[in-house]
Amino acid sequence: MQANYKLRSREWFNNENAELTFQHRSAMRAMGHNPDSFVGKPIIGIFNAWNDFNSCNYPHKELVEYVKRGVLLAGGYPIEMHTISTPADFMKPSDLLYRNLLSMDIEESIRSQPIDGVVLLCECDKTVPAQLMGAASCDLPTLQLAAGHRSSGSFQGKKVNYGTDLWKYSDDYKAGLFSEKDWNELEKSISCSLGGCPVMGTASTMKSLSEMLGMMLPGTSSIPATHAHRKVAAESTGIRIVEMVREQLTPSKLMTMEAFSNAIKLAAAIGGSTNATIHLTAIAGRLGIRIPIETYAELTADIPLIVNLQPSGMHSMDDFFNAGGLQRVVQKLLPLLNTDCLGCTGETIEQIYGREMWENEASSEVISSIAEPFKDKSGFAILKGNISPHGAVIKKSAVSPELFEHRGQAVVFENYLDMLARIDSDDLDVDASSVLVLKHCGPVAMGMPEWGSIPIPAKLLKLGIRDMVRISDGRMSGTSYGAVILHVSPESAIGGPLAIIRNGDWIELDIEASSLNLMLQEEEIAARLAEWIAPEPQHTRGYPRLFADHTLQAHEGCDLDILRPTNKQEAVFVPPIVGRG
């Protein structure tokens, strides 16, 4: 332990005020905690976010016991705590707004209670960034432990993966290529174990980026949920967090601007989710670090796709793990990274990931190299123009090559229910060159749900069309794919230009030129904006109202303005006054 470092928990359990010490020790005794067992030891708060709706996080019901064992082995004292959970499958209309609420839950639980170090048990999409946001705001030694990805399923003799294969088979079903019997069989087959999506969706992306940021033990982000190494990783996490408390290795020492730059490059190399642009910006913002939206394009411009994994490729997370997982990817990427950044072991990433690894033909099929990548085009394009003055995002590795440049007429849906009502109508005036436009699903309007991957109209699916240009101010599941333009900022609900697009308007996309434009004269655009009337808010009270009133736009990470400091000085953690309870 550092010579001048005192445990935070000492304020509660070894205070100069005997009355306070008595009260807090007595409260612990009521739960069977003997002060002789914990006073003077690092108290580790283990934040668990499973519930019976969250199949991704559910393995932590068991894994937490292995974390506790590790903490005890290292001379710390574990205290399990519970937070809200963010089961992406069930939280409607969007789990994004609850990302911020979960981060508040964590931050205030840490602030107000006798905790010296933190372990965050994560997996499902928003759990990972929410926990990192809360940890960044507190800046106590912290580690994350993922639950791991679920197993691939088996359907009619083929391997199927929850997420990406669902969208592919859904298109076949709508196109009439898939019977009702097949559809019911797929439902029983595609998701056959606990854990996160077994593809490079948002959960796998954010776990990988957490490890790259030094907030997860090296080599643990890509272990399957069903593998015994998950339990070993849990125990090792418990051991290491106690050491980090003694070393005072905190998030602000790990999550630097250089580390975020490394994470952005990694996101491109693995074909990571577009949601990463929102989450990394929000996490960095809690530390007083600004990441302009253009940075994502600048840092990934020359990063190819070196991971052949759904949705940008063909393999699964099991294949990725067996090929060497994130350790191999980072090793391949080291020449393009800032190798002086620290990992949670206290070593540099050069020292952690530079060690020699085995390699064979099977591994190189899943994880290639910078010199001979799986795809030359990867990373994020940030599209600007009169539709998206503050930017929109598209994942280049997921776009059909013929749609990198496109000009087409808009087919406009005013909201999600309008889209559902008309998208599969035989009367919909649409063809393969059309540009589908969906309004009013941004952060203020709806909490930014994953509605941006607008379904291909059924009449086009029957003609074999599987991709077309789509535009919205919403998000897209990290498991999805296609020429889908997302996060249009400012959003339509606050008067962004997306709001005034009409059926038949011509739209021009040029991904390489980073442009997205409505082919109208400036005077016409100004006139339409002047006529625009803001919609009435759906929520007049409660957390959704608070979120709508205080959320930042997509290019700023969709955090609440009241949670994001304006600079590093404002980011300093304010401890509580420990007084009479």
Side-chain angles (χ1 to χ4, degrees), residues 269-485:
I270 61 177
S273 168
T274 49
N275 286 304
T277 62
I278 290 177
H279 298 323
L280 288 177
T281 298
I283 297 162
R286 294 292 186 93
L287 293 160
I289 298 172
R290 292 288 179 269
I291 304 180
I293 190 66
E294 297 80 6
T295 303
Y296 291 92
E298 293 164 1
L299 290 177
T300 63
D302 299 322
I303 307 292
L305 181 68
I306 65 172
V307 175
N308 181 359
L309 187 60
Q310 288 185 344
S312 298
M314 61 177 288
H315 291 290
S316 70
M317 281 297 291
D318 277 345
D319 300 322
F320 182 63
F321 172 71
N322 292 331
L326 194 72
Q327 286 177 292
R328 185 179 300 283
V329 176
V330 178
Q331 185 181 73
K332 301 279 189 183
L333 207 57
L334 279 175
L336 303 179
L337 302 179
N338 185 319
T339 56
D340 292 331
C341 290
L342 290 179
C344 58
T345 63
E347 303 167 287
T348 67
I349 64 167
E350 174 75 52
Q351 294 168 320
I352 294 170
Y353 297 102
R355 302 181 178 108
E356 187 175 346
M357 289 185 70
W358 57 270
E359 189 152 6
N360 58 35
E361 189 175 335
S363 68
S364 60
E365 182 184 334
V366 180
I367 301 170
S368 56
S369 66
I370 298 298
E372 298 180 12
F374 172 55
K375 288 183 181 179
D376 292 328
K377 295 184 187 298
S378 191
F380 307 108
I382 304 303
L383 308 173
K384 288 198 171 184
N386 58 20
I387 292 177
S388 52
H390 296 157
V393 178
I394 192 167
K395 181 164 73 171
K396 290 190 285 186
S397 64
V399 178
S400 301
E402 68 273 14
L403 295 176
F404 266 69
E405 286 187 51
H406 185 76
R407 194 169 186 267
Q409 288 183 282
V411 175
V412 178
F413 303 101
E414 290 300 322
N415 54 55
Y416 187 66
L417 293 178
D418 178 34
M419 185 273 292
L420 289 180
R422 296 193 293 121
I423 192 68
D424 292 327
S425 170
D426 289 337
D427 297 328
L428 186 68
D429 186 10
V430 65
D431 61 33
S433 69
S434 300
V435 176
L436 305 182
V437 177
L438 176 60
K439 303 177 184 178
H440 296 106
C441 49
V444 171
M446 281 285 161
M448 211 176 181
E450 293 180 339
W451 294 343
S453 186
I454 306 166
I456 304 295
K459 64 194 292 184
L460 298 183
L461 287 172
K462 291 172 183 176
L463 297 175
I465 305 301
R466 286 297 184 272
D467 196 10
M468 58 195 302
V469 176
R470 288 156 277 179
I471 303 173
S472 81
D473 46 13
R475 296 179 299 113
M476 174 174 82
S477 167
T479 64
S480 297
Y481 49 89
V484 184
I485 299 165

